Amino acid sequence: MKVLITGGAGFIGSHTADLLSQKGYSVKILDNLSPPVHDGEWPDYVKREGYELVRGDVTNKKDLTKVLDSVDYVLHLAAYQDQMPNFSKFFTTNTVSTALIFETILENKFPVKKIVYASSQFVYGDGIYKSEDGKEFFPELRTEEQFKNKMWDIIDSGGRRAKFISFKEEQKINPINSYGLSKMASEVMGLRLGKTYGIPFSILRYSIVQGARQSPRNIYSGALRIFVTQALAGKTITVMEDGNQLRDFVNVENVAEANVLMIEDSKTDFEIYNVGGGKSYKVKDFAEIVKRITKSDSDILIDGRYRRTDTRNAVSDISKLENLGWNPSNSPEKSVNDYVNWIKSSKFDIEEIVKNIERGHKELV
Ligand SMILES: NC(=O)c1ccc[n+]([C@@H]2O[C@H](COP(=O)([O-])OP(=O)(O)OC[C@H]3O[C@@H](n4cnc5c(N)ncnc54)[C@H](O)[C@@H]3O)[C@@H](O)[C@H]2O)c1
């Protein structure tokens, strides 16, 4: 069986390739090796494995026609994931690519058995909150005034603190940025086209994925990248808001297992699954984990910096995927450890990365 992984030179794609290969699948990778994650070269960890490597773009139909020929499964992982206001690029890379994959398969009658789509917890936006009187509501983005007054929590219409409810697959999704919107559009389109044309489609909504090979040049990589590089450079570890915001973290090897499960279990056809760590952490507690594992003397600074489009809490309920026998067996401690060892063994300029992070932070305060 041959599996095409778009974006397979990246973090999640390369771990998935390794797992597929261990299980006896042939792996083909389509990747444009674009910056900031790559510098135009195939990383060693995919080069040495003997995968079929094709340099090309998921937004280019000719490239897709080349790679979709003679594959059984497609894992569509390539994506644009920045925080820039170039809104259209999210849709071109993340959504139009999904349409093009269907178009190419149908036009050429390629016998693809299934498409698996890498979506994100970001489709939920801020999710659902419950007010003190038990009413559920979808909060709007917090206002500048709220942030300036350090009112970090989501409040109900009566001005009281509301209770966060973990994300469930069946709830209404409410993305708050172009990245989430582009993923939502792909989800809806993939399910529709898949059903109409008889190509099974599965959606995985990953939480924050962590582990080795996550490029520290990727600004999307979030707290792990920031805390670890600051700790390794001996700089202050900077935590946003009041540090009490909740997140869940899932290890990349467990994510690779979820990807493969979508191929191997036909019960997953046309289904959506959250892929998370199953446990919520306050971001300030996660900073402590990083400090401990890196054996750092750095201070942890919580000084109220913020990003207006950040969600206050983001934690996924993973019971649906667990019911299929999957479980997030690896802890965030293992992910941090793997990431730290990998960063130390590679040639990244940590000082430069920290400087970039600090430059970004100055713009936020
Ligand atoms: N890492 C996370 O925490 C996380 C969370 C939720 C969802 N996701 C999703 O998982 C998928 C994989 O993410 P990742 O963390 O491995 O990211 P990554 O940046 O490490 O990998 C993405 C890969 O896609 C390639 N790519 C980008 N644009 C392309 C294009 N136009 N054509 C061909 N290749 C292209 C990149 O070169 C890169 O190798 C993405 O779809 C992402 O949105 C990731």
Side-chain angles (χ1 to χ4, degrees), residues 7 9-13 30-34 37-38 56-58 77-79 81 93 118-120 179 183 206-209 214 218 220:
F11 168 49
I12 300 172
L30 174 71
D31 204 294
N32 68 355
L33 304 176
S34 52
V37 172
H38 304 288
D57 205 292
V58 286
L77 268 61
Q81 14 175 13
T93 309
S119 187
S120 165
Y179 173 69
K183 292 283 181 185
Y206 309 142
S207 299
I208 298 169
V209 186
Q214 182 163 38
N218 194 347
Y220 178 81

Side-chain angles (χ1 to χ4, degrees), residues 11-12 81 83 118-125 164 167 177 179 204-212 214-215 218-228 240 245-256 258 273-284 286-287 290 307 309-318 326 328 330-336 339:
F11 168 49
I12 300 172
Q81 14 175 13
Q83 280 157 349
S119 187
S120 165
Q121 194 183 48
F122 261 104
V123 297
Y124 293 108
F164 170 72
F167 304 138
N177 58 22
Y179 173 69
L204 292 173
R205 292 178 180 159
Y206 309 142
S207 299
I208 298 169
V209 186
Q210 299 178 331
Q214 182 163 38
S215 173
N218 194 347
I219 73 149
Y220 178 81
S221 312
L224 178 67
R225 160 197 183 246
I226 296 173
F227 299 166
V228 167
M240 297 225 190
Q245 57 277 41
L246 299 176
R247 297 287 182 270
D248 77 296
F249 308 108
V250 61
N251 178 266
V252 68
E253 290 161 23
N254 295 137
V255 172
Y273 298 93
N274 290 335
V275 186
K279 198 175 160 203
S280 62
Y281 289 82
K282 289 183 178 166
V283 172
K284 65 182 185 194
F286 181 66
V290 170
R307 227 169 10 209
T309 52
D310 270 357
T311 51
R312 173 63 178 166
N313 298 303
V315 179
S316 293
D317 181 315
I318 55 166
W326 174 89
N330 293 331
S331 64
E333 283 81 357
K334 173 182 162 44
S335 302
V336 175
Y339 182 72

Side-chain angles (χ1 to χ4, degrees), residues 151-193:
M151 290 163 59
W152 310 115
D153 285 313
I154 302 286
I155 45 174
D156 66 15
S157 53
R160 290 159 305 190
R161 203 167 149 230
K163 189 174 175 299
F164 170 72
I165 301 173
S166 299
F167 304 138
K168 294 277 285 173
E169 291 87 347
E170 63 271 20
Q171 81 187 51
K172 188 183 116 180
I173 56 178
N174 190 25
I176 56 172
N177 58 22
S178 298
Y179 173 69
L181 285 162
S182 68
K183 292 283 181 185
M184 176 177 84
S186 256
E187 287 191 1
V188 177
M189 179 174 52
L191 287 175
R192 184 62 268 149
L193 293 179

Side-chain angles (χ1 to χ4, degrees), residues 213-279:
R213 303 180 191 165
Q214 182 163 38
S215 173
R217 294 200 211 112
N218 194 347
I219 73 149
Y220 178 81
S221 312
L224 178 67
R225 160 197 183 246
I226 296 173
F227 299 166
V228 167
T229 53
Q230 288 173 330
L232 292 181
K235 298 275 164 71
T236 302
I237 298 173
T238 51
V239 176
M240 297 225 190
E241 303 191 9
D242 60 354
N244 288 320
Q245 57 277 41
L246 299 176
R247 297 287 182 270
D248 77 296
F249 308 108
V250 61
N251 178 266
V252 68
E253 290 161 23
N254 295 137
V255 172
E257 287 160 2
N259 288 341
V260 176
L261 182 61
M262 296 301 111
I263 286 177
E264 296 188 337
D265 188 341
S266 62
K267 281 201 293 292
T268 65
D269 292 358
F270 304 110
E271 294 287 340
I272 302 174
Y273 298 93
N274 290 335
V275 186
K279 198 175 160 203

